[in-house]
Amino acid sequence: AQSVSQHNHHVILSEAASLELGCNYSYGGTVNLFWYVQYPGQHLQLLLKYFSGDPLVKGIKGFEAEFIKSKFSFNLRKPSVQWSDTAEYFCAVNKNGGATNKLIFGTGTLLAVQP
Amino acid sequence: KAGVTQTPRYLIKTRGQQVTLSCSPISGHRSVSWYQQTPGQGLQFLFEYFSETQRNKGNFPGRFSGRQFSNSRSEMNVSTLELGDSALYLCASSAEMGKDIQYFGAGTRLSVL
C-alpha cells in the first residue's frame, strides 16, 4: 500500500534559519508529489508540485523541493525562514497516470518560527 | 474566481444522529474529493467523484457516503454518528482526474457529543 512518511513532526527554528523537511514515500510506480501548507486558521494551500521533468521544483514563497527517485524522497527546503512560515506542512503523493486524484498524505510537520 | 466552498463551517451533533456536509467546487471543476482530518490519523481520503460517479473510495465504513450532482456540487453523509467521527472534513476540487492540482476548501468542523 502507498504510504508517506514525514520524519520531523515538530520543528522549531529562528528567523533566517534554513529549513529542510523530510518526506519519503512508498510506492512502486510513477507518482505525482505535492507539498501543501496549512497556516493557522486557514485552509490547505499548495506550495509546490512535481509531475515530471526537472526534479528540482520551485514553489511559492521561496520554497523548493527536490525529487530523488532512487531515495523515494521529496524533501522541502527554504534557505531562510520567516515568522510568517509558521504553519503545518504536509507532503502528499498520488498515482501518476491513474484516473484518480486520491492523495496519500504524510502526518504533517508543525513548523514554529521564532522571531 | 471563487474557491471551494464548504457548508456549514461548524456542526455539533450527538451520537446516533446523521449529518450532511456540502461542497461547492471551483467553477468549471468536475472532480471533487473528500478527506477526513483528525489529530490522531491525519488526513485520510474518503472518496472522490467525477461527473456524478464515485471513482474511488477510501477505507471507511459504509456509514460514510457521498454523491455528486450534475452541477458538480457534492455532499457527503455520515449516518449513525460515533464519537470518533469528530473531525475536520475537507473537500477538494480539481478540473480533471489524474495529473491535476486539487484545491481545498476551509472544511467543516464536526463535533460529535
Side-chain angles (χ1 to χ4, degrees), chain A:
Chain A
Q2 293 177 334
S3 67
V4 177
S5 297
Q6 291 183 242
H7 315 296
N8 317 101
H9 297 293
H10 199 176
V11 173
I12 302 173
L13 294 173
S14 298
E15 276 193 315
S18 64
L19 170 71
E20 181 160 3
L21 301 182
C23 172
N24 287 88
Y25 66 93
S26 170
Y27 182 67
T30 308
V31 296
N32 300 318
L33 296 154
F34 307 83
W35 276 97
Y36 280 87
V37 62
Q38 194 170 33
Y39 297 104
Q42 296 189 28
H43 61 278
L44 273 171
Q45 301 172 40
L46 182 69
L47 265 182
L48 45 78
K49 66 187 185 300
Y50 173 80
F51 288 158
S52 61
D54 188 345
L56 184 62
V57 293
K58 296 192 183 299
I60 61 171
K61 304 186 180 186
F63 286 91
E64 65 178 31
E66 185 175 14
F67 170 49
I68 302 179
K69 190 175 181 180
S70 61
K71 295 185 178 180
F72 297 89
S73 70
F74 190 55
N75 292 354
L76 181 71
R77 299 193 293 248
K78 185 171 184 178
S80 175
V81 295
Q82 301 172 317
W83 177 79
S84 59
D85 293 324
T86 295
E88 191 159 18
Y89 294 80
F90 294 92
C91 181
V93 61
N94 75 359
K95 184 179 176 182
N96 186 314
T100 177
N101 286 328
K102 173 184 175 182
L103 288 170
I104 305 297
F105 282 92
T107 50
T109 297
L110 201 56
L111 171 65
V113 179
Q114 297 175 330

Side-chain angles (χ1 to χ4, degrees), chain B residues 87-107:
Chain B
L88 181 66
Y89 290 88
L90 297 174
C91 169
S93 80
S94 60
E96 297 293 337
M97 297 288 285
K99 204 170 188 176
D100 205 352
I101 297 167
Q102 291 186 72
Y103 297 87
F104 283 81

Side-chain angles (χ1 to χ4, degrees), chain B residues 11-111:
Chain B
L11 265 178
I12 300 175
K13 293 286 186 179
T14 56
R15 279 181 300 174
Q17 288 187 309
Q18 75 164 19
V19 68
T20 299
L21 313 181
S22 179
C23 172
S24 293
I26 292 172
S27 178
H29 283 191
R30 297 190 293 164
S31 171
V32 172
S33 300
W34 288 89
Y35 295 84
Q36 182 196 64
Q37 186 176 21
T38 60
Q41 299 298 317
L43 281 148
Q44 293 188 291
F45 171 80
L46 279 157
F47 25 65
E48 66 180 336
Y49 289 87
F50 185 79
S51 294
E52 301 179 66
T53 302
Q54 188 179 90
R55 301 300 177 122
N56 211 340
K57 191 176 190 305
N59 190 24
F60 279 82
R63 300 184 296 106
F64 291 81
S65 63
R67 59 179 175 168
Q68 186 180 34
F69 302 95
S70 58
N71 62 358
S72 294
R73 190 177 70 85
S74 177
E75 289 181 347
M76 68 163 281
N77 185 276
V78 188
S79 62
T80 319
L81 283 166
E82 301 178 359
L83 296 178
D85 298 332
S86 295
L88 181 66
Y89 290 88
L90 297 174
C91 169
S93 80
S94 60
E96 297 293 337
M97 297 288 285
K99 204 170 188 176
D100 205 352
I101 297 167
Q102 291 186 72
Y103 297 87
F104 283 81
T108 294
R109 173 78 62 186
L110 172 65
S111 297

